[in-house]
Amino acid sequence: MADLVQLVTIGLLAGGIYAAVGVGFSLVWGVLNIVNLAHGALVIVGAYLTWQIFTASGLDPFLTLPIDAVALFAFGYVVQRGVINRIIRAPLLFTFLLTFGLNLIAVNVLLLIFKSDFRSVTTVYSGAGLDLGGIVVPYIRLAALGIALLVAAALALLLNRTRVGLAIQAVGSDRDAAQLVGIDLRHAYAVTYGLGAACAGVAGGLIAMIQAITPTAGEPYTLQAFVVVILGGLGRVSATVVGGLVFGLVEAFAQSIPGSGSVFANAIAFGVMVLVLVTRPQGLLGRLR
C-alpha cells in the first residue's frame, strides 16, 4: 500500500511540472491555432535564466520565477508581434515551419552562449524531502506542484475576469467578430503568445531546480505539452492541469514496471494518448469549442 501511495505521489508531483509546461502551449494553440514547436525552447530559456540569476547573484531560484515570467512575456510579445503575426492567417504548415525555425534559432543561441555542458541549480534544500510515514515528498517538487496550480489559477482568472482576458477569448472564438467590435487583433495575439511564453518560463525555472539542463533539453517538453493538451482537452486551463496530472501518473506507473526505462514509460504514456484520441477525441474534460 505504501508503494502505491508513493507512486501516486511521484506521479502527481511530476504531473505538476507537465501541467506548468502545458498551460502556455494550450493557450497559444487554442487562441492562435498555432502548434508552437518553439515551446520547449522557451521552457529551456526560462531554465537558463533561473540558472544564470542564481549563479550570478545567489538569489533563491524560486524568487527568480517572476523574473522568468516577465522576461519571457516580453520576448514572446515581441516575437509574435514582429514575426509570427505576419503569417498568422497562413496555412498550418507555415506556422509549423516558422515555429520550428524559431526553435532552432533559440537552441543554437543557447549553445553559443552556454555550450552543451550540463547545468543545474543546487540549493541547500535540494534533495531534501518530507517523510510522511515512509512516503517521501521532495520539497522542491511539492513546491513546483503548488506553483504550477497557482500559475494555472492565475491564468484562468486573467482569462475570465479581466478585459484583456475576455478579449483573448473573444479572438479565440471568432477573430472576425472580435475585430468588428474593436478588439486589436495584433495586440491580443501578442499578449496571448507572451502569456504562453511566460508560463513556459516559469515551468523552465522549476525544471532547472529539479534536473540538469542543456540547450537541447527542450524538445521533449514540446511533445509532452502536446500530449497533455490532447489528454485534457483543448480550450480550458483546468483541462490542461488534469491532462498534466494524468500524464504524470501514467508515466510513474509505467516506470514502476520491472525492466522498464524512461523510453518504455514514455511509449506507454503516448499509447494512452492514442487511446484517448480514439475513444474520446475531445479529451478527458472536453474542448470548449
Side-chain angles (χ1 to χ4, degrees):
M1 184 61 182
D3 291 340
L4 177 62
V5 175
Q6 182 70 71
L7 275 177
V8 171
T9 301
I10 292 172
L12 291 176
L13 294 178
I17 296 294
Y18 295 140
V21 172
V23 287
F25 186 86
S26 176
L27 178 65
V28 171
W29 187 2
V31 175
L32 305 184
N33 196 31
I34 292 176
V35 179
N36 184 21
L37 299 184
H39 191 75
L42 296 175
V43 170
I44 296 303
V45 169
Y48 270 102
L49 188 55
T50 286
W51 176 85
Q52 185 64 56
I53 296 172
F54 172 76
T55 303
S57 66
L59 184 67
D60 187 280
F62 283 106
L63 298 179
T64 68
L65 299 181
I67 302 174
D68 295 346
V70 172
L72 267 294
F73 175 85
F75 177 75
Y77 187 98
V78 171
V79 167
Q80 166 61 34
R81 192 74 183 251
V83 181
I84 299 177
N85 192 59
R86 297 179 182 276
I87 62 166
I88 194 68
R89 291 181 180 267
L92 189 62
L93 177 61
F94 285 84
T95 57
F96 258 77
L97 292 174
L98 178 58
T99 56
F100 180 68
L102 292 173
N103 172 72
L104 292 178
I105 292 171
V107 169
N108 281 281
V109 168
L110 288 175
L111 282 169
L112 285 173
I113 297 173
F114 299 104
K115 310 305 178 186
S116 58
D117 299 333
F118 284 90
R119 317 278 176 143
S120 61
V121 175
T122 305
T123 64
V124 293
Y125 47 82
S126 295
L130 187 63
D131 192 339
L132 302 173
I135 307 301
V136 180
V137 182
Y139 289 134
I140 292 180
R141 284 189 174 271
L142 181 61
L145 173 60
I147 290 171
L149 295 177
L150 283 175
V151 168
L155 183 60
L157 187 65
L158 185 147
L159 291 175
N160 294 296
R161 299 297 178 88
T162 66
R163 288 179 61 86
V164 66
L166 294 174
I168 288 172
Q169 292 198 68
V171 170
S173 297
D174 190 329
R175 66 180 68 182
D176 294 325
Q179 189 173 26
L180 285 175
V181 297
I183 295 176
D184 185 344
L185 292 186
R186 291 180 299 175
H187 178 65
Y189 291 152
V191 170
T192 300
Y193 197 88
L195 288 173
C199 292
V202 172
L206 295 173
I207 289 168
M209 294 181 246
I210 294 172
Q211 64 185 54
I213 57 172
T214 65
T216 58
E219 293 180 7
Y221 291 108
T222 301
L223 183 57
Q224 289 163 357
F226 181 80
V227 175
V228 164
V229 173
I230 293 298
L231 287 176
L234 181 65
R236 64 182 76 179
V237 175
S238 59
T240 305
V241 173
V242 170
L245 297 177
V246 169
F247 184 79
L249 287 170
V250 171
E251 187 179 63
F253 278 94
Q255 288 176 345
S256 69
I257 299 174
S260 66
S262 59
V263 175
F264 179 68
N266 282 334
I268 292 179
F270 296 143
V272 172
M273 180 199 74
V274 173
L275 181 63
V276 170
L277 280 173
V278 171
T279 60
R280 190 173 171 79
Q282 70 271 32
L284 297 176
L285 295 189
R287 292 168 169 78
L288 287 181
R289 60 185 194 286

